[in-house]
Amino acid sequence: ELQKEKIRDVVLTHAHLDHIAGLPLFIDDLFATLETPIRIHALPEVIKSLEDFVFNWTIYPRFTELKNKFGEVMNYFPFVIEQKFTAAHLQFIPIQVNHKVPTVGFVFSDSKSKVAISSDTAEMDTFWEVLNCESGLDALLIECAFPNELNDLAHASHHLTPNKLKKEIAKFKHLNCPIYVFNLKPAYLTQITAELRNLNIKTLEIIEVGRIYYF
C-alpha cells in the first residue's frame, strides 16, 4: 500500500487487458489524495485505446477530465519509438516488438544498471538490433508464453515458445548477459519450464513470482 501511494509514473508496453486492467482501480484508489497527477507514458495508439475503450465514461470515468482538490489527477505522455524519455528516475528507450497490437519493449536504466525487457512478442529483429548496439546491459527479460506443442496458437497470438525463444536468443550478442524468462502461461507452467531447461542455455533463468531481483 505504501509503495502504491508513491507511484506517479506508469509506463505501458501495450493496451491488452492483462497489462492495463489494474490501472483504472489504481488511479481510483488514489484519486482524492493525489497532490500531483499520475503520469501515463505510452504509445499514442495505446493512449487512444485507453480513451476509446476504458476511460470513456462507459467503462470507467475519463480521469483526464476530472480534478480533485489539488488539481489534475492523470496526464498522458506519449512517447516515440526509439526516442529516449524519462519516467521517475529512469531513462527509457522504447523499441518496437512483434505483437498483435502496437507494442514496445524497453531498454531502461538508472545511473547504475541497464535492463532490457521484451514485453509480449513473437519473432523480431529490430529489438535485437537495438540491444546489440547497447553497452553494459545487466539483464534481459523476455517472454515465453506457450509450450512447443502450441506453436500454432503462439503464432496466431504473436507469442514465443521455447523453440522460438532459442532462435531469438541466437540473435542476442551479449553472450554473458543474464536472461530471465517471464509470462509463462500458468496452465502450461510445468511443461514450458521443462522445455526451457532442455534448451541448456547457461545464462537463462525463469523468473520466480514473488522473488525480488536486483540488477
Side-chain angles (χ1 to χ4, degrees):
E1 191 70 26
L2 292 176
Q3 288 179 327
K4 182 175 72 174
E5 291 175 1
K6 293 179 180 179
I7 294 172
R8 290 297 175 270
D9 290 271
V10 177
V11 181
L12 299 176
T13 59
H14 62 297
H16 277 162
L17 186 62
D18 54 329
H19 290 257
I20 58 95
L23 185 60
L25 295 177
F26 167 72
I27 299 170
D28 199 3
D29 285 348
L30 296 176
F31 183 93
T33 60
L34 286 169
E35 296 183 14
T36 57
I38 300 294
R39 297 176 287 269
I40 309 297
H41 305 266
L43 287 168
E45 298 95 326
V46 173
I47 293 171
K48 184 178 187 305
S49 293
L50 288 174
E51 288 291 282
D52 287 350
F53 304 118
V54 181
F55 300 119
N56 59 3
W57 291 112
T58 299
I59 302 301
Y60 227 73
R62 182 163 282 143
F63 283 122
T64 53
E65 297 179 3
L66 298 176
K67 295 182 179 181
N68 63 14
K69 64 181 180 180
F70 301 106
E72 296 178 327
V73 296
M74 187 179 87
N75 296 145
Y76 291 116
F77 290 82
F79 55 67
V80 177
I81 287 174
E82 293 187 40
Q83 289 191 16
K84 189 178 293 185
F85 68 91
T86 300
H89 65 291
L90 298 173
Q91 288 194 324
F92 290 80
I93 301 173
I95 313 166
Q96 185 175 4
V97 295
N98 179 16
H99 201 36
K100 288 290 285 187
V101 296
T103 306
V104 295
F106 294 105
V107 174
F108 59 97
S109 60
D110 59 11
S111 59
K112 297 179 181 179
S113 303
K114 183 187 295 184
V115 176
I117 184 168
S118 71
S119 182
D120 290 359
T121 190
E123 298 87 342
M124 53 190 173
D125 291 315
T126 302
F127 183 77
W128 302 115
E129 290 166 3
V130 174
L131 260 57
N132 290 337
C133 291
E134 290 288 326
S135 60
L137 199 61
D138 294 290
L140 165 65
L141 283 68
I142 188 165
E143 80 123 77
C144 187
F146 293 107
N148 292 324
E149 70 177 14
L150 295 180
N151 182 73
D152 290 348
L153 177 57
H155 177 76
S157 58
H158 287 62
H159 283 289
L160 293 175
T161 65
N163 283 344
K164 290 176 180 288
L165 177 61
K166 183 177 181 180
K167 293 178 181 178
E168 292 304 296
I169 291 175
K171 305 173 187 177
F172 188 44
K173 303 305 181 185
H174 296 268
L175 299 180
N176 296 317
C177 179
I179 300 170
Y180 298 91
V181 184
F182 70 97
N183 198 37
L184 286 69
K185 297 292 185 183
Y188 311 106
L189 179 61
T190 301
Q191 187 175 354
I192 300 170
T193 298
E195 292 174 353
L196 287 170
R197 288 175 177 159
N198 286 338
L199 297 178
N200 292 318
I201 299 174
K202 292 182 180 180
T203 54
L204 188 146
E205 181 178 336
I206 299 168
I207 285 281
E208 296 179 30
V209 177
R211 175 180 166 187
I212 298 174
Y213 290 82
Y214 296 93
F215 305 112

